[in-house]
Amino acid sequence: MQARRIAGALGALLLPLTLAHAHAQTQAPDIDALVDAMTVEEKIGQLNQVAGGRSKNLNSRIDEAELDRVREGRVGSYLHVAGAAFLGELQRVAVEESPHGVPLLFAMDVVHGYRTIFPVPIAMASTFDPADAEAMARISAVEASAAGLHWTFAPMVDIARDPRWGRIVEGAGADPYLGSVMAAAQVRGYQGGDLSGDDTILATAKHLGAYGAADGGRDYDSADISERALHEVYLPPFFAAARAGTASFMTAFNDIAGVPTTANETLLSGLVRDQWGWDGVMLSDWNAVHELINHGVAASRTEAGALALAAGVDMDMTSGVYAEELKTALARDPSLREKLDAAVKRILKAKADLGLFDDPYQYHDVEREKTVILSAAHRDAARRAAARAVILLKNEDNLLPLDLAPQKIAVIGVLADDALSQLGSWRAQGKEDDVVTLLDGLKRRYPDAEIIFESGSEDGVATGKALRRAAQAARKADAVILAIGENYDLSGEARSRSDISLPQADAALFDAVSETGKPFVTIIMSGRPLALGDVAARAPALLQSWYLGVEAGNALAAILSGDVSPAGRLPVDMPRVTGQAPYVYSHRNTGRPADPDITKDTARYHDLPITPQFPFGYGLSYTTFEYGEAQISTAEIQPGDSVTISVPVTNTGPVAGEEVVQLYVRDPVASIARPVKELRGIKRIRLDPGERASVDFELAAASLAFFGAGGDWRIEEGTVEIMIGSSSADIRARTEFRIVADSAATTPGAAIETPAAVTMIEKSGMETDQ
């Protein structure tokens, strides 16, 4: 009740205060001088991030006692807060009533949209186009900043190769190159060209380390991986984010080989700050500083705080360890004072970069908040991204697209009308009422058709009655659309699963529809790649849609109707059964390579094919594409040079469509065994029927750099094999070149983005640049 009274009192003051201070200007301070003027308590306050509410009850903890903490300079940031007016008044208290007038940072997990919710991150990665990820992040920043926020805890750039891990939904999948380009794109989108603008927010690349490598796919568990795997697979997206200028990193909950990331000085300070040259804000995850005690590396909260600060963690998210224990830790170890001052300076610099010292109220324009959030333009962008994320996995007898005007459509499955699941995990301020479900989208697209909806279950149970009703609806319809998979609560944080096959109710519903003998389209809605088993073989047409956000239904209706030809691609291999996971296309050959014809004495399971159900990079279209021969600009290059690789691609089908041209590399003989192929270039292109385009990749020799035996990055002399195709398993063109000398390198090969240009070749043969 007290929180409500304070919120009400704040609300009564908001309008006049917001207007009075809308254009307040102060001068950015000399940060060194400001830090020198602060007391130890005030410095520690800057390192203290407090939950101002909960994700479902924002601002609820901002009471009079909390305002007094702000006045005393004992808080540097709040999360789980929002609202231009409310936060404007909270900022006023900090700026006008605290000892040094240092503004606060307001933060939230804005992961794939603020109010306009885009597809979940694994779906955004399925577009295979970093421009889509950047656009999502830009719109997210525009809306979040209009609501008074300065800081998002995104992008999540953890490489996830085990689909049992629930948080695979939050990242870009299994590949370090794809993860790197998507990471950099999102940082650019959130932070814009100039952080001091009023529509930019600080990006946070998380969760630094190897959070996605948790043992057994169990969230929060240890990552017991090799140093090479850490540097070549899990760290490149963080390096790419650092190079793109991310303002902050968040440490992972878990440990790497027994060293918790939140206390890993070698990683946080030695590698990221000293070697990479990055100097932003290092943030702990929720309560992670306190959890160093659980890890077994600290005996008390005081020790935990000292370890985290010494490692390089600048801000403590919610545990209160810094706020309560750092003063004691400093008394025990005065050498920590230098660490404290450095952390305070980095936090103050982030606030200055945002322009908060120049105009602390620029994020609190109530009229802008009303105008930009969930605007028509933003919904249009979300719909476009959703349609571009959908993956066509199978299409027997060209069942899709649907006939032009079906008279009766059966829409079957709870997920077809589940608005909440389409928002996915970390939905920020997304609302169910904003969502167009699959059922809604089909009704809008086919207003003259009779659309019959059957959930296929009763209270989540596939009862005989519900299954019979679903089958009956299918028999009577001209077109049958079945939506199955996971609801939103089966994936996300703390949602790891030991069995990633279809839930029993969904499998039973699939059987009931399949047994009718009617052709039907199956849409898999999920936050992870599921092990579909025989569903993949029995489904006549199969789409993977993930969770597509507020415009899910309109995007799916556009795909089903043929208004849009699907071109999404899998950012992770889909296993046949749970026991095949984790499976990655970029494995090493081993001394006894897997052989489809030899079940013994090769690197394979006896009871499964050697291939996944669907491979990384895979996705079909309503049209067809033909690749010509690859051309290369030179046969030999120096380690510091690049080579241009070109391939012509022609739309040989009847409709316009998009193709994702993928470039893979292999170093067949090296001092360290290399993967059988690694992604190093992507380009999504659109072609009309009969059109042909040349796709030109500029591949740097440095993109072949690997982590050498001596713990350094190396480019080695030798032949490089080039493979270009439509997926990791569908290679259409090959060539090769040679690097003529060995050389040291400074950058992970997977973190170097390969530029790609497209030259459209008209049917007449005239060339124009696209």
Side-chain angles (χ1 to χ4, degrees):
M1 291 297 294
Q2 185 183 18
R4 291 195 186 97
R5 286 196 297 272
I6 296 301
L10 284 173
L13 296 171
L14 288 178
L15 183 59
L17 286 170
T18 300
L19 293 176
H21 297 277
H23 302 289
Q25 298 288 322
T26 58
Q27 186 172 359
D30 179 324
I31 289 177
D32 288 343
L34 177 56
V35 172
D36 288 343
M38 285 180 165
T39 65
V40 169
E41 292 82 1
E42 291 163 353
K43 292 176 182 178
I44 292 172
Q46 288 300 308
L47 278 57
N48 185 28
Q49 185 175 71
V50 176
R54 293 294 293 174
S55 58
K56 295 181 180 179
N57 194 13
L58 302 179
N59 306 330
S60 58
R61 296 180 180 176
I62 306 298
D63 55 17
E64 188 61 42
E66 198 59 47
L67 294 179
D68 284 342
R69 294 175 74 186
V70 174
R71 293 183 180 105
E72 294 165 3
R74 293 193 287 129
V75 181
S77 174
Y78 283 101
L79 76 162
H80 292 327
V81 292
F86 186 93
L87 296 184
E89 169 57 15
L90 185 56
Q91 190 72 291
R92 186 200 65 78
V93 174
V95 171
E96 298 187 12
E97 299 183 30
S98 70
H100 300 284
V102 177
L104 295 162
L105 286 174
F106 302 128
M108 182 185 288
D109 291 272
V110 183
V111 176
H112 54 110
Y114 177 74
R115 180 69 182 273
T116 304
I117 304 301
F118 279 69
V120 292
I122 195 170
M124 291 303 305
S126 298
T127 67
F128 268 56
D129 192 340
D132 289 325
E134 184 170 349
M136 176 279 295
R138 185 82 292 275
I139 288 172
S140 299
V142 168
E143 292 195 357
S145 62
L149 297 175
H150 311 122
W151 195 3
T152 179
F153 305 137
M156 193 199 91
V157 302
D158 300 302
I159 296 301
R161 297 187 154 189
D162 192 333
R164 294 174 296 179
W165 189 51
R167 299 193 80 167
I168 192 171
V169 67
E170 295 179 48
D175 186 79
Y177 178 83
L178 181 63
S180 293
V181 297
M182 290 295 180
Q186 289 176 83
V187 170
R188 293 192 298 268
Y190 288 123
Q191 298 188 171
D194 180 1
L195 264 178
S196 65
D198 63 5
D199 65 352
T200 62
I201 56 179
L202 304 174
T204 306
K206 66 181 186 184
H207 307 83
L208 181 60
Y211 189 37
D215 287 350
R218 295 180 298 272
D219 208 356
Y220 316 121
D221 214 332
S222 300
D224 201 359
I225 58 174
S226 71
E227 189 176 15
R228 179 163 295 104
L230 175 65
H231 285 273
E232 290 189 356
V233 176
Y234 295 97
L235 289 181
F238 292 98
F239 181 89
R243 188 172 53 186
T246 186
S248 60
F249 280 123
M250 182 188 293
T251 63
F253 281 117
N254 66 340
D255 68 87
I256 302 172
V259 183
T261 303
T262 306
N264 194 331
E265 185 174 6
T266 300
L267 176 63
L268 306 186
S269 294
L271 178 69
V272 174
R273 292 202 191 281
D274 296 343
Q275 292 187 36
W276 292 1
W278 179 82
D279 198 31
V281 175
M282 188 71 71
L283 172 72
S284 83
D285 208 334
W286 184 284
N287 201 46
V289 175
H290 172 84
E291 290 169 12
L292 293 176
I293 299 172
N294 299 339
H295 276 286
V297 298
S300 67
R301 283 168 62 84
T302 301
E303 287 186 15
L307 278 173
L309 184 63
V313 175
D314 298 321
M315 187 171 281
D316 172 12
M317 182 192 287
T318 73
S319 79
V321 170
Y322 279 8
E324 298 164 13
E325 306 293 340
L326 268 192
K327 193 172 181 180
T328 300
L330 290 167
R332 293 179 181 176
D333 183 1
S335 68
L336 290 174
R337 291 182 178 273
E338 184 177 347
K339 294 277 189 178
L340 173 63
D341 284 358
V344 176
K345 289 175 183 178
R346 286 189 285 264
I347 292 166
L348 295 179
K349 181 179 183 301
K351 295 178 179 184
D353 289 345
L354 283 168
L356 296 182
F357 286 105
D358 297 321
D359 184 357
Y361 304 110
Q362 67 175 344
Y363 284 75
H364 306 291
D365 183 336
V366 177
E367 291 306 313
R368 185 165 78 92
E369 182 180 31
K370 293 176 182 177
T371 302
V372 304
I373 290 178
L374 203 66
S375 69
H378 290 180
R379 291 197 72 123
D380 285 346
R383 181 170 60 252
R384 180 178 185 272
R388 287 167 64 83
V390 176
I391 306 165
L392 179 62
L393 298 174
K394 189 178 180 184
N395 194 20
E396 284 185 355
D397 301 322
N398 293 321
L399 183 58
L400 286 174
L402 301 176
D403 291 338
L404 292 178
Q407 298 300 304
K408 184 178 291 187
I409 303 173
V411 182
I412 300 171
V414 173
L415 288 169
D417 201 33
D418 182 351
L420 192 58
S421 285
Q422 291 308 320
L423 295 174
S425 64
W426 297 114
R427 62 183 63 97
Q429 291 302 289
K431 310 296 183 187
E432 285 184 76
D433 291 345
D434 300 337
V435 176
V436 179
T437 66
L438 170 62
L439 181 61
D440 296 333
L442 288 170
K443 288 178 177 178
R444 295 181 181 187
R445 179 59 182 80
Y446 296 104
D448 298 326
E450 178 185 356
I451 296 181
I452 306 167
F453 172 66
E454 289 292 342
S455 68
S457 67
E458 296 177 318
D459 297 323
V461 178
T463 64
K465 179 182 178 181
L467 294 177
R468 288 191 295 272
R469 288 176 60 91
Q472 184 179 28
R475 291 188 185 97
K476 293 180 178 180
D478 302 319
V480 182
I481 312 297
L482 173 65
I484 55 176
E486 302 177 314
N487 68 44
Y488 77 94
D489 203 34
L490 290 179
S491 62
E493 185 173 354
R495 300 296 190 274
S496 296
R497 292 179 57 196
S498 65
D499 181 0
I500 57 169
S501 57
L502 275 174
Q504 289 185 352
D506 292 72
L509 182 58
F510 179 88
D511 288 342
V513 174
S514 179
E515 288 166 5
T516 66
K518 291 291 291 288
F520 64 102
V521 177
T522 301
I523 302 175
I524 304 296
M525 300 178 176
S526 63
R528 57 163 56 83
L530 296 175
L532 298 177
D534 69 348
V535 166
R538 295 163 57 201
L542 189 61
L543 292 163
Q544 174 71 50
S545 73
W546 315 108
Y547 306 131
L548 292 176
V550 293
E551 286 290 323
N554 287 330
L556 284 168
I559 294 289
L560 293 168
S561 65
D563 294 340
V564 174
S565 180
R569 295 293 189 269
L570 284 173
V572 60
D573 294 272
M574 287 186 72
R576 295 175 183 273
V577 296
T578 301
Q580 196 184 26
Y583 183 100
V584 291
Y585 81 92
S586 52
H587 58 82
R588 292 182 178 85
N589 219 21
T590 80
R592 294 184 175 183
D595 190 310
D597 300 319
I598 302 175
T599 59
K600 292 184 179 181
D601 301 327
T602 68
R604 58 166 297 170
Y605 294 108
H606 284 203
D607 55 346
L608 285 176
I610 67 172
T611 55
Q613 188 75 67
F614 298 105
F616 176 88
Y618 175 81
L620 302 176
S621 173
Y622 294 156
T623 189
T624 55
F625 296 94
E626 180 180 283
Y627 286 60
E629 292 186 6
Q631 303 293 322
I632 196 159
S633 60
T634 182
E636 295 183 343
I637 62 172
Q638 296 291 332
D641 294 339
S642 299
V643 61
T644 300
I645 302 144
S646 303
V647 64
V649 181
T650 306
N651 182 346
T652 56
V655 298
E658 292 182 316
E659 171 73 339
V660 178
V661 182
Q662 301 164 44
L663 183 146
Y664 296 87
V665 301
R666 186 189 180 203
D667 184 346
V669 180
S671 60
I672 302 292
R674 306 305 301 146
V676 295
K677 60 171 71 77
E678 297 176 275
L679 184 69
R680 285 297 184 271
I682 51 176
K683 187 63 177 179
R684 184 163 174 158
I685 62 172
R686 184 189 183 281
L687 294 174
D688 287 331
E691 279 191 334
R692 183 161 55 104
S694 175
V695 181
D696 309 318
F697 294 99
E698 187 180 347
L699 182 72
S703 67
L704 276 296
F706 60 85
F707 197 71
D712 56 352
W713 291 99
R714 300 291 302 165
I715 302 169
E716 287 192 347
E717 178 272 337
T719 297
V720 177
E721 297 175 356
I722 300 297
M723 297 158 276
I724 301 176
S726 189
S727 80
S728 62
D730 184 10
I731 301 302
R732 310 283 191 89
R734 297 176 184 267
T735 188
E736 64 181 36
F737 66 94
R738 185 174 183 82
I739 300 173
V740 298
D742 294 343
S743 176
T746 58
T747 301
I752 297 177
E753 187 165 357
T754 301
V758 179
T759 301
M760 296 298 296
I761 304 171
E762 303 288 353
K763 295 175 186 177
S764 64
M766 294 178 62
E767 296 188 4
T768 58
D769 289 335
Q770 178 176 283

